[in-house]
Amino acid sequence: MTQKTIQLQLAGMSCAGCARSIEKALNAVDGVASVNVNFASEIATVEGSKLDSAQLVHAVKQAGYDASVVNHDEPNDDPRDQAQQLQLYKFIAAAVLSLPLLYTMFGHFSWTRAVPVPDVLMAPWLQLLLATPVQFIIGWQFYRGSYHALRGGAANMDVLVALGTSAAYFYSIYLAWFAADYHPHEGLYFETSAVLITLILLGKWFEARAKGRSSTAIRQLLELQPQQALVELDDDTTQTVAVAELTVGTIVQVKPGQQIPVDGEVISGQSAVDESMLTGESMPVSKQSGDKVIGGTLNSTGFLRIKVAHTGKDTALAKIVAVVEQAQASKAPIQRLADRVAGIFVPVVLVIAALTLVTWYFWLAPADWRQAFEATVAVLVIACPCALGLATPTSIMAGSGRAAQLGVLFKRSDVLELTQQVDTIVFDKTGTLTEGKPKLTEFELLSQVYQQAEVAALVLSIEQQSEHPLAAALVEGMRAHTESTQSITDFNAEQGKGVVATAQLHDTQQTVALGNQALMQQLGVTINENVIARTEELQHAGKTVMLIAVSGELVALVAVADTLRSTTKTALERLRQRGLKLVMLTGDNARTAASIANELGIDEVIADVLPTAKADQIKQLQQQGRKVAMVGDGVNDAPALATADIGVAMGTGTDVAIEAADIALMRADLGSLVDAIEMSELTVKNIRQNLFWAFAYNTLGIPIAASGLLAPWLAGGAMALSSVSVVLNALRLQRAKR
């Protein structure tokens, strides 16, 4: 049954425990196969069959949170912006009401008695009047969150905040109302509850702003898409229309300095196009008639007429955004530890708080409710697991977003985490190490039966039907000898060997074979020693040799050569410096492959491999205990890319290869592979830093609070600061250099 994916934009989450509650609620809906809730992006990704978006939204709301379906076709303003503004307004209102209460704290300490505090501010009923709106109106979100969390059988940060601030608030009412012989101004905690809520709201606002910055990569990509395009009409006039209204085949005009509206093909004009916003490549790319262009890139110098090839979800920009969103919404393996801890953290904190209260009241400060109470509230407040829940997803969001800006697309967060563990990299040759645009270098007749133009016509006719990377080189090369073609039937591609077809030649049907020596031997074609020697000579020069036979007789020899990419040597040297083992896996013969491998310093060559056997070679390396990354760009690389621990597709490759891979390199440059490994290392390092500080914060903070050394309002500030610091650390990834 077809699997369907629906993404929900969530609102109302306060910590990782909320994410777990939402996951639990969504998993209970019929048809749901898997759920992943990302606390940092506030996105729930639901997969399953026969999914009903209304049921999913209802399930989230029943759990006590808000949700709406993400519509990628009609991107609206991010609802998180509205939530961020609301938190800011709540903080401002809470701060206005709390500042007078905060000022009264000067009257509580002997060392601040010199600060004048008006008696009116010390009046318990004025403090009650100021604290009540903060507690129950502005802070209502904590009570609401607590209710829904507890009703769902869980406990989250809201429970800790609501419990701690309520204890301070209601204990103050008790002192003001019932303790007539007590001096209320010396023991009230109205300022504690109000200031705590204010500081937590300030932290939530900072956190929301930082989380918004961590997802700016997607926004920046979306902003690359122009909103309008200049369309040519049938009467030779032009009209400005919305990009969303463009259809395939429409002709659009792009002037110098304008952005290209959609993916298409240049039909006239010449220009340099800046593709850096999508590929990370700083140098403009020359474009002329017949070249492909990508929507969102910048036309720098010339006037272009472009035929629209893709619109909407099919454009390269839309696919890139989808991949980045997929990576940011998925959950990395390293996050499982944080999830397990967060799941039991709040109940453990409640137990610790209860033990703190008992210990202080009965042993450390017998019968002193004030000391016991302050220590208990401090424990409840400082123990919020927000930093723990944010540690991994914020780093994943920032790391994958920055990688996309560098032209590296990680399809899932686990790929971003695992890439840095690779110790062996396997490269396809053609189109990966080389330009993938070989040229015909030799065309030699081996028989006097057919003229060169006749053989050229045969090769041209056959290779026009082939998708092999060398076919285009032969077609282009043969057109220098003839423009005529032959009628070809019974075309059959022999994987890894060549092609066999039937052609009308000299008024008879002839079997034509074009391929390597293995194909000739399979067909029983005799190859003399002179031809073998010439073949070996060309192969030693790094050229790929193909033989042509007609009805079992060898008639010609052709050779093509592919040039190395200009950046290949430098990239491979950087990979060697990392201690990685480099392997070439190719269907070319051993001599040609060895010639290129020697030039590049590749450690191992596996040649003469059929496309179907490439995946088997990857498995053999994995059986040796190696973590293998496979880099390729062709249809025949797809099985190997899927088999490898990490599959890497060159952005110039086929859609099939890119679909099968885990990482897509948008630039035809292996330097991007180094970028991918470095971004993986930086992201994992950043996650570990975040997890360390999140664990260390709670490990150290709870004992300090329980010991009575931390006032509750200071504990609230420390809790807010911990979440913000984790997110700010993750944001450092957005400044990573290539």
Side-chain angles (χ1 to χ4, degrees):
M1 188 174 291
T2 304
Q3 291 287 305
K4 183 180 180 182
T5 300
I6 293 178
Q7 286 192 322
L8 302 177
Q9 179 68 61
L10 306 171
M13 291 196 297
S14 60
C15 68
C18 299
R20 291 173 63 87
S21 297
I22 294 175
E23 284 185 353
K24 181 179 178 180
L26 289 173
N27 273 313
V29 177
D30 290 339
V32 172
S34 66
V35 178
N36 177 35
V37 175
N38 189 309
F39 176 44
S41 64
E42 297 183 345
I43 293 286
T45 303
V46 186
E47 294 183 352
S49 58
K50 297 182 179 180
L51 293 180
D52 185 334
S53 58
Q55 285 186 350
L56 298 177
V57 171
H58 178 71
V60 173
K61 290 186 175 181
Q62 283 293 103
Y65 306 91
D66 291 326
S68 59
V69 178
V70 177
N71 188 345
H72 296 284
D73 295 330
E74 299 179 5
N76 299 314
D77 293 337
D78 193 335
R80 286 176 292 179
D81 291 341
Q82 299 176 5
Q84 178 181 319
Q85 285 295 107
L86 181 60
Q87 291 293 351
L88 175 60
Y89 296 148
K90 284 184 176 181
F91 162 70
I92 292 173
V96 170
L97 293 170
S98 299
L99 280 175
L101 295 172
L102 181 63
Y103 187 72
T104 66
M105 296 182 69
F106 287 110
H108 291 178
F109 307 107
S110 59
W111 49 276
T112 57
R113 291 294 176 127
V115 178
V117 179
D119 291 339
V120 65
L121 290 182
M122 302 303 292
W125 308 118
L126 176 63
Q127 293 190 15
L128 175 64
L129 184 65
L130 293 172
T132 299
V134 178
Q135 186 72 36
F136 296 109
I137 299 177
I138 300 172
W140 179 249
Q141 66 186 66
F142 301 113
Y143 287 102
R144 180 175 178 270
S146 300
Y147 167 74
H148 288 291
L150 294 172
R151 193 185 67 171
N156 61 6
M157 166 207 165
D158 291 333
V159 173
L160 299 180
V161 175
L163 191 58
T165 58
S166 296
Y169 177 85
F170 288 109
Y171 183 57
S172 298
I173 290 180
Y174 165 77
L175 292 177
W177 189 271
F178 295 104
D181 58 341
Y182 194 76
H183 298 286
H185 66 277
E186 295 183 1
L188 297 182
Y189 292 95
F190 286 121
E191 81 284 350
T192 297
S193 63
V195 172
L196 272 177
I197 289 175
T198 303
L199 288 174
I200 292 169
L201 290 174
L202 176 61
K204 280 186 166 294
W205 178 61
F206 279 135
E207 180 184 305
R209 289 194 63 189
K211 283 161 66 177
R213 287 176 56 195
S214 68
S215 60
T216 53
I218 290 181
R219 293 194 187 187
Q220 290 173 355
L221 289 171
L222 289 172
E223 289 169 359
L224 294 177
Q225 178 71 60
Q227 299 301 309
Q228 295 181 321
L230 189 63
V231 176
E232 289 187 2
L233 303 179
D234 294 336
D235 57 359
D236 294 331
T237 61
T238 59
Q239 179 181 351
T240 300
V241 302
V243 169
E245 298 177 5
L246 293 177
T247 58
V248 175
T250 303
I251 307 299
V252 298
Q253 296 182 1
V254 185
K255 300 175 182 179
Q258 292 182 336
Q259 285 181 298
I260 295 171
V262 288
D263 297 1
E265 179 180 335
V266 178
I267 58 176
S268 69
Q270 186 171 359
S271 182
V273 175
D274 181 0
E275 298 181 342
S276 61
M277 62 284 293
L278 292 181
T279 66
E281 177 56 62
S282 58
M283 294 298 294
V285 181
S286 177
K287 300 289 183 180
Q288 55 189 357
S289 181
D291 289 339
K292 307 293 184 182
V293 290
I294 304 173
T297 55
L298 181 65
N299 179 28
S300 301
T301 57
F303 176 81
L304 295 175
R305 294 176 64 242
I306 298 169
K307 179 186 288 187
V308 177
H310 301 289
T311 61
K313 292 181 179 179
D314 297 326
T315 63
L317 180 58
K319 290 180 179 178
I320 290 171
V321 170
V323 169
V324 176
E325 286 182 332
Q326 177 182 328
Q328 294 186 345
S330 59
K331 188 173 293 187
I334 199 171
Q335 191 174 341
R336 294 170 189 159
L337 173 62
D339 286 347
R340 286 197 297 268
V341 172
I344 62 172
F345 194 78
V346 173
V348 170
V349 169
L350 293 176
V351 172
I352 294 174
L355 292 174
T356 301
L357 180 66
V358 171
T359 302
W360 272 96
Y361 187 75
F362 289 102
W363 286 286
L364 298 180
D368 188 343
W369 275 108
R370 179 174 181 175
Q371 287 286 348
F373 176 76
E374 287 190 355
T376 303
V377 172
V379 168
L380 288 171
V381 173
I382 202 170
C384 171
C386 291
L388 197 59
L390 290 168
T392 299
T394 49
S395 296
I396 292 292
M397 291 174 67
S400 59
R402 179 56 182 154
Q405 292 172 335
L406 295 176
V408 178
L409 298 182
F410 290 94
K411 291 191 175 181
R412 302 184 311 277
S413 59
D414 61 325
V415 175
L416 182 57
E417 178 185 340
L418 298 175
T419 298
Q420 49 92 30
Q421 298 178 8
V422 166
D423 55 31
T424 301
I425 302 182
V426 180
F427 299 92
D428 175 51
K429 180 177 74 69
T430 305
T432 302
L433 298 173
T434 64
E435 291 287 353
K437 296 179 180 178
K439 295 183 179 180
L440 180 70
T441 57
E442 273 79 24
F443 180 20
E444 302 173 4
L445 287 178
L446 303 176
S447 169
Q448 301 301 317
V449 178
Y450 301 101
Q451 297 179 3
Q452 193 173 53
E454 290 179 307
V455 178
L458 282 175
V459 175
L460 179 61
S461 304
I462 291 173
E463 292 302 321
Q464 281 180 335
Q465 301 185 39
S466 174
E467 295 182 355
H468 194 278
L470 299 180
L474 291 176
V475 169
E476 183 179 352
M478 292 305 161
R479 280 179 174 157
H481 298 279
T482 184
E483 288 293 335
S484 63
T485 58
Q486 298 285 350
S487 176
I488 298 295
T489 59
D490 300 329
F491 180 91
N492 183 40
E494 297 285 342
Q495 282 196 342
K497 298 178 181 180
V499 295
V500 179
T502 301
Q504 184 73 20
L505 195 60
H506 290 185
D507 298 325
T508 60
Q509 293 288 326
Q510 306 275 5
T511 299
V512 182
L514 189 157
N516 55 24
Q517 292 186 38
L519 178 63
M520 299 301 143
Q521 292 170 358
Q522 176 182 315
L523 299 175
V525 177
T526 302
I527 307 174
N528 63 46
E529 293 182 358
N530 291 335
V531 174
I532 293 175
R534 177 60 174 157
T535 299
E536 291 177 351
E537 178 186 352
L538 293 171
Q539 289 175 342
H540 279 302
K543 299 179 181 180
T544 299
V545 181
M546 288 164 282
L547 303 174
I548 304 161
V550 177
S551 295
E553 180 183 352
L554 207 59
V555 298
L557 171 152
V558 293
V560 296
D562 194 3
T563 58
L564 293 172
R565 295 188 186 276
S566 59
T567 57
T568 296
K569 286 186 177 180
T570 302
L572 295 189
E573 177 59 30
R574 292 174 65 191
L575 293 172
R576 274 195 302 273
Q577 291 174 357
R578 291 177 165 272
L580 296 169
K581 180 179 180 180
L582 308 182
V583 180
M584 180 194 294
L585 179 62
T586 178
D588 276 358
N589 63 79
R591 292 189 182 90
T592 301
S595 173
I596 294 176
N598 290 334
E599 184 178 353
L600 294 174
I602 290 178
D603 303 310
E604 181 180 348
V605 176
I606 305 175
D608 294 311
V609 180
L610 295 177
T612 54
K614 286 187 174 182
D616 294 333
Q617 294 293 333
I618 297 294
K619 289 179 182 177
Q620 290 181 20
L621 291 170
Q622 291 172 326
Q623 288 169 359
Q624 297 172 15
R626 293 186 170 274
K627 290 286 186 181
V628 181
M630 169 71 190
V631 188
D633 77 324
V635 173
N636 59 358
D637 297 324
L641 291 172
T643 302
D645 296 286
I646 301 293
V648 183
M650 301 290 283
T652 53
T654 64
D655 289 340
V656 176
I658 294 175
E659 187 67 28
D662 301 303
I663 301 172
L665 307 181
M666 299 306 296
R667 301 197 315 273
D669 179 358
L670 284 177
S672 294
L673 177 60
V674 186
D675 293 341
I677 295 173
E678 289 181 348
M679 280 307 304
S680 175
E681 290 179 345
L682 288 173
T683 302
V684 171
K685 180 180 179 182
N686 194 274
I687 290 173
R688 288 172 177 164
Q689 289 172 347
N690 281 348
L691 288 174
F692 170 80
W693 288 113
F695 279 120
Y697 163 79
N698 284 306
T699 302
L700 297 175
I702 292 176
I704 293 174
S707 66
L709 298 176
L710 200 61
W713 69 274
L714 286 176
M719 182 272 286
L721 184 61
S722 69
S723 298
V724 175
S725 64
V726 163
V727 179
L728 292 178
N729 183 53
L731 290 177
R732 293 191 303 114
L733 291 170
Q734 293 187 335
R735 299 193 299 272
K737 303 297 183 182
R738 181 184 307 164

